[in-house]
């Protein structure tokens, strides 16, 4: 690795650490919301996946049985948490070090390592 490549790699690492630190500061305060398909349940969670609010539409109390309502609440919470996960994934996929997206490396480190094996 030449000196210029090493400088670029170091710059990538500093930029990645800065983005990660900024995201870590914002994440707990960010809010993600999801609503069930027919609008009976709306859920809000934090970036740390803390449940902040559950709102149940008054019509759901008349049209949905308790078991189904419980399932809707659970599914909607998971959907809101998935939005928080997606925000984290976007950060990782949009951050690269040495030409490799951090998200790709975390999902499949073996693939990256195989590129450095003799004969590849």
């Amino acid at each position: 690795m030449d000196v210029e490549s090493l400088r670029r790699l170091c710059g990538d690492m500093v930029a990645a650490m800065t983005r990660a630190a900024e995201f870590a500061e914002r994440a707990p305060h960010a809010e993600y919301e999801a609503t069930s398909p027919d609008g009976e349940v709306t859920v809000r969670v934090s970036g740390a996946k803390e449940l902040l609010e559950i709102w149940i539409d008054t019509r759901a109390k008349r049209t949905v049985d308790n078991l189904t309502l419980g399932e809707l609440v659970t599914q909607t919470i998971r959907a809101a948490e998935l939005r928080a996960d997606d925000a984290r994934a976007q950060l990782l996929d949009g951050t690269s070090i040495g030409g490799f997206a951090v998200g790709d490396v975390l999902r499949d480190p073996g693939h990256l390592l195989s590129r450095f094996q003799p004969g590849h």
Side-chain angles (χ1 to χ4, degrees):
M1 180 176 282
D2 63 28
V3 173
E4 188 54 37
S5 295
L6 186 57
R7 283 190 180 121
R8 278 195 307 272
L9 182 62
C10 288
D12 287 352
M13 292 173 70
V14 169
M17 291 185 332
T18 300
R19 286 186 73 191
E22 290 169 354
F23 182 82
E25 288 174 5
R26 284 190 323 266
H29 308 291
E31 295 181 3
Y32 303 92
E33 187 173 286
T35 301
S36 62
D38 291 329
E40 304 96 335
V41 178
T42 299
V43 171
R44 201 166 39 92
V45 299
S46 73
K49 297 185 185 180
E50 295 172 308
L51 182 59
L52 301 175
E53 181 179 31
I54 297 175
W55 180 79
I56 299 173
D57 190 302
T58 53
R59 66 188 158 95
K61 296 172 187 172
R62 294 185 302 269
T63 60
V64 180
D65 65 86
N66 288 343
L67 183 60
T68 303
L69 185 58
E71 290 172 359
L72 281 172
V73 169
T74 300
Q75 291 169 358
T76 308
I77 290 170
R78 287 185 181 140
E81 290 175 341
L82 185 59
R83 290 188 177 172
D85 289 340
D86 288 345
R88 185 174 25 263
Q90 281 183 330
L91 168 80
L92 295 175
D93 289 340
T95 303
S96 64
I97 298 175
F100 299 100
V102 173
D104 291 342
V105 174
L106 293 175
R107 278 188 289 279
D108 187 9
H111 177 71
L112 174 67
L113 293 174
S114 69
R115 295 175 77 178
F116 294 101
Q117 298 297 319
H120 283 73

